Amino acid sequence: MPEMEPAIINMAIVGGGPLCRELIAKAALDYRKNAVRARIVGVADPDIQSPGMVLARELGLKSVKDYHELYEPHHNIHLLVILTPEQEILNDILKTKPDTVRILSHRVFDFIWKVIGVEERKLRMKNREMETILNGIQDYILLITPDMEIIEVNEAFLKGMGHTRKEVIGRKCHEIFHGVRQMCDKGGVACPLNEAIRNKRSSQQIRTRAGQNGEPHYIEVTIFPIWESDGRISRFVEISRDITDRKKEEEEITRRLEQMVEDRTRQLKETHAQLLHQDKMASMGKLSASVVHEINNPIAGILNLITLMKRIIGDGGIEQNDIDEFSRYLDLMETETRRTSRIVSNLLAFSRQSKIELKRLDLNQIVEQTLLITSNLLKINGIRVEKQLDPDLPEFEGSEDQIQQAFMNFVSNAAEAMESTKGGVLTIETTCFAKPPRISISFRDTGIGIQRENISKLFDPFFTTKKVGKGVGLGLSVAYGIIESHCGSIRVRSKAGKGTTFEVELPLKQPSSTLDQHGDSCG
């Protein structure tokens, strides 16, 4: 059988003085909503203008002059509370009341009321202490019902949000915080109160709320639900903290950090550009001696031919045989002059500090240009070049100046590696791969090779195994940076005494139209 609810106890008061009015005022509540199983239904007093009788009529309670009328069955009175001290009234009620009606005498009630009064004063004192504590806390504290109604706030909230108590108490929280009539979840805003209900625990969010001046405030909101024994929520305690200043400080710190990163990145780019230039100048220094010899030879030949022609002219008339000789001399002079011009032009193009820009390049052509510039360096060291260049190699996207500078470093390193062996073979091979689309070039020498423990350090700036005056250890580091900025890769294979191979792979297309010198745009 279903459990039946306990019956409501109907009470009536005999005596309508000030104590009656006080009792009625305190007991005038919705007994169903507050789970109270007793109610006051009537008051009896000969003086119809007594405070208790007046309030009873205002509240719609039964008010009678003769308490005997309360005995009638249709009033259904269970308990008479006697608030008048006259003994004869108590004696009369004891004699005349029905057996179904119980009584609470004035003396007993007075004792209970005084005890309640003492506890009430203690509770009021505790409430004042708690109110003082809450108002002294700088965090915002609110007490909210499950219906989203604000029933209490502290002074910090009123001051910080620019409201008065009258503007807040009794209003819905979403009306105060967001100025909307519908609940937050219905308006597309996640409600921290509903989140606490769903998760059955406290919740915390950072919300943006508008202050009185309309400026946004960043609020850290923590919701603590207060649960009843039956699992229902009776109240929410909301503790909010204005973190606007902290947010602004964090944003300022973030802005400063971003500025520092930007400045540092700019410095790194400038340093990288300086290293490129320094390495280029170092390579120019290495080539200068060999190029001087390469240029001196054709110039000396041209000078000798000019001297010879002048002498023939000085000896007298010019015959047909002399004209034929002059024509042959001029052809030789033209050939040597063009050869000298090509060497100088390529050297100037390599040394020029050109702007970095991407364009379609022919890898094989860059190899040929590099070998032309370094031809005398290779010849001086007795190095034979074997070219295995793929004739069907597709064009790729990159910076011609930088790619040539990297190749110069690989060729120079190979020449130096074979210098002590009095010659050797440098094999340069190009090929193409379909998946993913990329091209590959390898530089394989027959030099002294690299010790295993040094391979991992090859691309470190200023690392070198060369003798003093032979290099500062920037060449391979710069080459690595160039290849990396082109979204490429370098692999090294070497054995001591067996030679070294540098294999470079480059994508056919760069991910962006401008070259990032740190390779950050590479996927």
Side-chain angles (χ1 to χ4, degrees), residues 398-449:
S399 165
E400 182 176 12
D401 181 64
Q402 288 201 0
I403 293 294
Q404 186 171 355
Q405 184 172 350
F407 288 1
M408 282 283 299
N409 287 329
F410 291 130
V411 172
S412 297
N413 264 19
E416 290 170 354
M418 291 184 281
E419 183 180 4
S420 61
T421 62
K422 305 301 180 182
V425 179
L426 172 60
T427 303
I428 301 177
E429 180 180 1
T430 61
T431 186
C432 179
F433 299 96
K435 293 184 179 179
R438 65 195 190 280
I439 53 178
S440 171
I441 179 170
S442 64
F443 300 86
R444 184 169 68 252
D445 65 61
T446 58
I448 59 175

Side-chain angles (χ1 to χ4, degrees), residues 211-277:
Q212 192 176 33
N213 57 3
E215 293 184 0
H217 287 243
Y218 292 100
I219 308 295
E220 184 181 72
V221 181
T222 306
I223 301 295
F224 297 96
I226 300 175
W227 300 90
E228 296 286 2
S229 57
D230 59 1
R232 292 183 299 109
I233 294 178
S234 63
R235 297 285 189 274
F236 292 103
V237 177
E238 177 181 309
I239 301 177
S240 304
R241 180 173 299 171
D242 192 328
I243 59 171
T244 303
D245 292 340
R246 192 180 81 191
K247 270 286 186 181
K248 289 181 178 178
E249 289 178 2
E250 290 174 353
E251 290 173 356
E252 178 62 20
I253 290 172
T254 301
R255 187 194 66 78
R256 290 179 182 175
L257 288 174
E258 289 174 349
Q259 185 63 45
M260 290 171 63
V261 170
E262 184 178 336
D263 292 343
R264 184 59 176 159
T265 301
R266 178 175 49 78
Q267 292 172 4
L268 287 172
K269 287 183 177 180
E270 291 174 356
T271 303
H272 182 71
Q274 292 171 3
L275 287 175
L276 283 172
H277 186 63

Side-chain angles (χ1 to χ4, degrees), residues 245-399:
D245 292 340
R246 192 180 81 191
K247 270 286 186 181
K248 289 181 178 178
E249 289 178 2
E250 290 174 353
E251 290 173 356
E252 178 62 20
I253 290 172
T254 301
R255 187 194 66 78
R256 290 179 182 175
L257 288 174
E258 289 174 349
Q259 185 63 45
M260 290 171 63
V261 170
E262 184 178 336
D263 292 343
R264 184 59 176 159
T265 301
R266 178 175 49 78
Q267 292 172 4
L268 287 172
K269 287 183 177 180
E270 291 174 356
T271 303
H272 182 71
Q274 292 171 3
L275 287 175
L276 283 172
H277 186 63
Q278 289 173 13
D279 177 69
K280 184 177 290 186
M281 293 303 100
S283 297
M284 284 292 296
K286 294 178 186 178
L287 292 172
S288 295
S290 61
V291 169
V292 165
H293 291 295
E294 186 75 7
I295 293 175
N296 274 340
N297 289 334
I299 289 177
I302 293 170
L303 186 59
N304 289 333
L305 291 172
I306 292 173
T307 303
L308 178 59
M309 291 172 69
K310 288 176 68 176
R311 191 182 66 191
I312 294 173
I313 293 172
D315 287 343
I318 302 176
E319 300 179 358
Q320 183 62 42
N321 291 337
D322 295 330
I323 293 175
D324 293 339
E325 284 295 316
F326 278 17
S327 178
R328 189 169 64 84
Y329 294 162
L330 287 172
D331 287 342
L332 287 172
M333 290 166 66
E334 181 183 11
T335 300
E336 292 302 302
T337 302
R338 291 185 183 280
R339 178 163 164 258
T340 303
S341 177
R342 284 199 309 273
I343 294 172
V344 172
S345 295
N346 278 278
L347 204 58
L348 286 174
F350 174 69
S351 64
R352 190 178 298 118
Q353 188 70 22
S354 60
K355 181 182 177 182
I356 296 173
E357 57 178 320
L358 297 178
K359 59 182 180 180
R360 304 300 298 176
L361 302 175
D362 183 337
L363 187 67
N364 291 340
Q365 184 179 346
I366 296 176
V367 172
E368 295 289 1
Q369 292 172 353
T370 304
L371 290 176
L372 178 62
I373 295 174
T374 58
S375 60
N376 208 57
L377 175 67
L378 297 171
K379 184 165 62 175
I380 290 172
N381 287 283
I383 296 169
R384 178 168 53 87
V385 177
E386 290 186 0
K387 295 181 290 185
Q388 300 174 8
L389 308 182
D390 184 351
D392 299 323
L393 208 63
E395 290 185 335
F396 74 104
E397 201 171 51
S399 165

